[in-house]
Amino acid sequence: MIIAVGADHGGYELKTKIIHWLTENGHTVSDVGCHSNDSVDYPDYAEKVVQEIVSGTAKYGILICGTGIGMSIAANRHYEIRAANCFDENTAALSREHNNANVLCLGARVLSEETALNMVRIWLKTDFAGGRHTTRIEKFSK
Ligand code: RB5
Protein backbone atom coordinates (compact mmCIF):
# COMPACT_ATOMS: atom_id res chain seq x y z
CA MET A 1 0.00 0.00 0.00
CA ILE A 2 1.44 3.34 -1.07
CA ILE A 3 0.81 6.54 0.86
CA ALA A 4 1.22 9.70 -1.22
CA VAL A 5 2.53 12.63 0.81
CA GLY A 6 2.63 16.26 -0.29
CA ALA A 7 3.18 19.65 1.25
CA ASP A 8 3.66 23.29 0.42
CA HIS A 9 6.48 25.36 1.94
CA GLY A 10 4.46 25.76 5.16
CA GLY A 11 4.35 21.99 5.57
CA TYR A 12 7.69 21.02 4.08
CA GLU A 13 9.56 20.42 7.33
CA LEU A 14 6.72 18.46 8.93
CA LYS A 15 6.44 16.42 5.72
CA THR A 16 10.07 15.40 6.12
CA LYS A 17 9.39 14.23 9.69
CA ILE A 18 6.23 12.37 8.68
CA ILE A 19 7.94 10.59 5.77
CA HIS A 20 10.77 9.58 8.09
CA TRP A 21 8.26 8.17 10.58
CA LEU A 22 6.29 6.36 7.84
CA THR A 23 9.32 4.67 6.32
CA GLU A 24 10.72 3.77 9.76
CA ASN A 25 7.40 2.08 10.46
CA GLY A 26 7.32 0.02 7.30
CA HIS A 27 5.09 2.11 5.04
CA THR A 28 5.77 2.76 1.37
CA VAL A 29 5.71 6.46 0.57
CA SER A 30 5.40 8.47 -2.62
CA ASP A 31 6.80 11.93 -1.89
CA VAL A 32 5.24 14.35 -4.41
CA GLY A 33 7.01 17.43 -3.00
CA CYS A 34 7.61 20.21 -2.37
CA HIS A 35 11.30 19.69 -1.63
CA SER A 36 12.38 22.93 0.07
CA ASN A 37 11.13 25.92 2.09
CA ASP A 38 10.78 27.99 -1.10
CA SER A 39 7.29 29.40 -1.55
CA VAL A 40 4.97 27.26 -3.70
CA ASP A 41 1.21 27.00 -4.27
CA TYR A 42 -0.56 24.35 -2.17
CA PRO A 43 -3.17 23.40 -4.85
CA ASP A 44 -0.37 22.07 -7.06
CA TYR A 45 0.67 19.56 -4.40
CA ALA A 46 -2.89 18.68 -3.43
CA GLU A 47 -3.47 17.82 -7.09
CA LYS A 48 -0.39 15.57 -7.25
CA VAL A 49 -1.58 13.54 -4.25
CA VAL A 50 -5.14 13.42 -5.58
CA GLN A 51 -3.97 12.08 -8.93
CA GLU A 52 -1.97 9.31 -7.23
CA ILE A 53 -5.15 8.21 -5.44
CA VAL A 54 -7.52 8.60 -8.40
CA SER A 55 -5.14 6.62 -10.64
CA GLY A 56 -4.93 3.84 -8.05
CA THR A 57 -1.20 4.30 -7.46
CA ALA A 58 -1.73 5.28 -3.82
CA LYS A 59 -4.43 4.18 -1.41
CA TYR A 60 -4.11 7.11 0.99
CA GLY A 61 -2.73 10.62 0.96
CA ILE A 62 -1.33 12.98 3.55
CA LEU A 63 -1.28 16.71 2.74
CA ILE A 64 0.41 19.33 4.87
CA CYS A 65 0.28 23.11 4.62
CA GLY A 66 0.33 25.87 7.23
CA THR A 67 -3.18 25.17 8.51
CA GLY A 68 -4.37 22.14 6.53
CA ILE A 69 -7.25 24.28 5.30
CA GLY A 70 -6.06 25.10 1.78
CA MET A 71 -4.99 21.52 1.14
CA SER A 72 -8.35 20.12 2.27
CA ILE A 73 -10.35 22.59 0.18
CA ALA A 74 -8.29 21.85 -2.92
CA ALA A 75 -8.29 18.06 -2.51
CA ASN A 76 -12.02 17.88 -1.80
CA ARG A 77 -12.89 19.30 -5.23
CA HIS A 78 -12.56 15.72 -6.49
CA TYR A 79 -15.48 13.30 -6.16
CA GLU A 80 -13.20 10.41 -5.21
CA ILE A 81 -11.48 12.30 -2.41
CA ARG A 82 -12.53 12.58 1.21
CA ALA A 83 -9.88 14.85 2.69
CA ALA A 84 -10.19 15.53 6.41
CA ASN A 85 -8.47 18.50 8.01
CA CYS A 86 -8.04 17.11 11.51
CA PHE A 87 -6.72 18.81 14.61
CA ASP A 88 -6.08 16.05 17.14
CA GLU A 89 -5.92 12.27 17.56
CA ASN A 90 -9.67 11.95 18.10
CA THR A 91 -10.70 13.77 14.94
CA ALA A 92 -8.07 11.83 12.98
CA ALA A 93 -9.57 8.53 14.18
CA LEU A 94 -13.17 9.66 13.56
CA SER A 95 -12.32 10.83 10.04
CA ARG A 96 -11.47 7.21 9.21
CA GLU A 97 -14.18 5.55 11.30
CA HIS A 98 -17.12 7.72 10.20
CA ASN A 99 -15.99 9.43 6.98
CA ASN A 100 -13.66 6.85 5.44
CA ALA A 101 -11.24 9.70 4.81
CA ASN A 102 -8.64 8.80 2.21
CA VAL A 103 -6.60 11.96 2.70
CA LEU A 104 -5.40 13.33 6.05
CA CYS A 105 -4.71 17.08 6.03
CA LEU A 106 -2.45 18.58 8.68
CA GLY A 107 -1.55 22.13 9.62
CA ALA A 108 2.15 22.40 10.39
CA ARG A 109 1.69 25.86 11.94
CA VAL A 110 -1.11 24.78 14.28
CA LEU A 111 -0.02 21.29 15.39
CA SER A 112 2.98 20.13 17.38
CA GLU A 113 5.18 17.55 15.68
CA GLU A 114 4.30 15.01 18.36
CA THR A 115 0.56 15.47 17.84
CA ALA A 116 0.91 15.34 14.06
CA LEU A 117 2.86 12.06 14.18
CA ASN A 118 0.36 10.57 16.63
CA MET A 119 -2.46 11.60 14.30
CA VAL A 120 -0.78 9.86 11.35
CA ARG A 121 -0.25 6.71 13.41
CA ILE A 122 -3.85 6.58 14.62
CA TRP A 123 -5.32 7.56 11.26
CA LEU A 124 -3.53 4.70 9.49
CA LYS A 125 -4.60 2.06 11.98
CA THR A 126 -8.27 3.06 12.25
CA ASP A 127 -10.76 1.21 10.02
CA PHE A 128 -13.91 2.60 8.44
CA ALA A 129 -16.96 1.51 10.48
CA GLY A 130 -19.24 1.10 7.42
CA GLY A 131 -22.97 0.62 8.06
CA ARG A 132 -24.93 3.89 8.22
CA HIS A 133 -21.75 5.80 7.37
CA THR A 134 -21.56 4.10 3.96
CA THR A 135 -25.03 5.36 3.06
CA ARG A 136 -24.01 8.89 3.95
CA ILE A 137 -20.73 8.82 2.06
CA GLU A 138 -22.43 7.46 -1.07
CA LYS A 139 -24.51 10.66 -1.18
CA PHE A 140 -21.46 12.75 -2.07
CA SER A 141 -18.59 10.45 -2.92
CA LYS A 142 -17.56 7.13 -4.40
C1 RB5 B 1 1.11 29.45 3.02
O1 RB5 B 1 1.63 30.61 3.55
C2 RB5 B 1 -0.24 29.12 3.66
O2 RB5 B 1 -1.21 30.00 3.22
C3 RB5 B 1 -0.62 27.70 3.36
O3 RB5 B 1 0.37 26.84 3.83
C4 RB5 B 1 -1.90 27.17 3.96
O4 RB5 B 1 -1.95 27.41 5.33
C5 RB5 B 1 -3.15 27.52 3.28
O5 RB5 B 1 -4.23 27.07 3.64
Side-chain angles (χ1 to χ4, degrees):
M1 177 185 83
I2 295 174
I3 304 166
V5 185
D8 72 355
H9 53 288
Y12 165 67
E13 286 177 14
L14 181 58
K15 175 171 74 68
T16 304
K17 305 272 174 52
I18 287 173
I19 288 174
H20 177 77
W21 185 91
L22 288 168
T23 50
E24 286 283 300
N25 284 275
H27 299 285
T28 305
V29 171
S30 172
D31 180 359
V32 306
C34 64
H35 299 293
S36 78
N37 287 312
D38 295 344
S39 183
V40 293
D41 298 330
Y42 61 80
D44 298 337
Y45 296 90
E47 188 64 23
K48 288 174 191 279
V49 165
V50 164
Q51 289 310 320
E52 294 229 353
I53 294 171
V54 170
S55 69
T57 302
K59 181 174 182 187
Y60 293 129
I62 298 174
L63 284 166
I64 311 138
C65 62
T67 58
I69 296 170
M71 286 296 198
S72 61
I73 292 171
N76 276 319
R77 300 186 71 80
H78 296 264
Y79 194 63
E80 299 88 344
I81 299 299
R82 293 173 302 280
N85 187 21
C86 299
F87 49 87
D88 59 14
E89 292 86 345
N90 189 39
T91 50
L94 287 170
S95 77
R96 288 284 314 124
E97 198 177 316
H98 287 193
N99 312 111
N100 201 14
N102 52 7
V103 177
L104 174 65
C105 298
L106 299 169
R109 295 175 182 157
V110 297
L111 296 168
S112 70
E113 181 186 321
E114 182 186 9
T115 299
L117 292 174
N118 271 333
M119 289 167 70
V120 169
R121 178 177 56 79
I122 289 165
W123 191 76
L124 287 172
K125 74 171 191 181
T126 304
D127 292 326
F128 178 48
R132 69 189 188 279
H133 301 296
T134 303
T135 310
R136 293 164 184 167
I137 286 169
E138 284 174 351
K139 294 191 173 187
F140 67 89
S141 181
K142 69 178 177 185

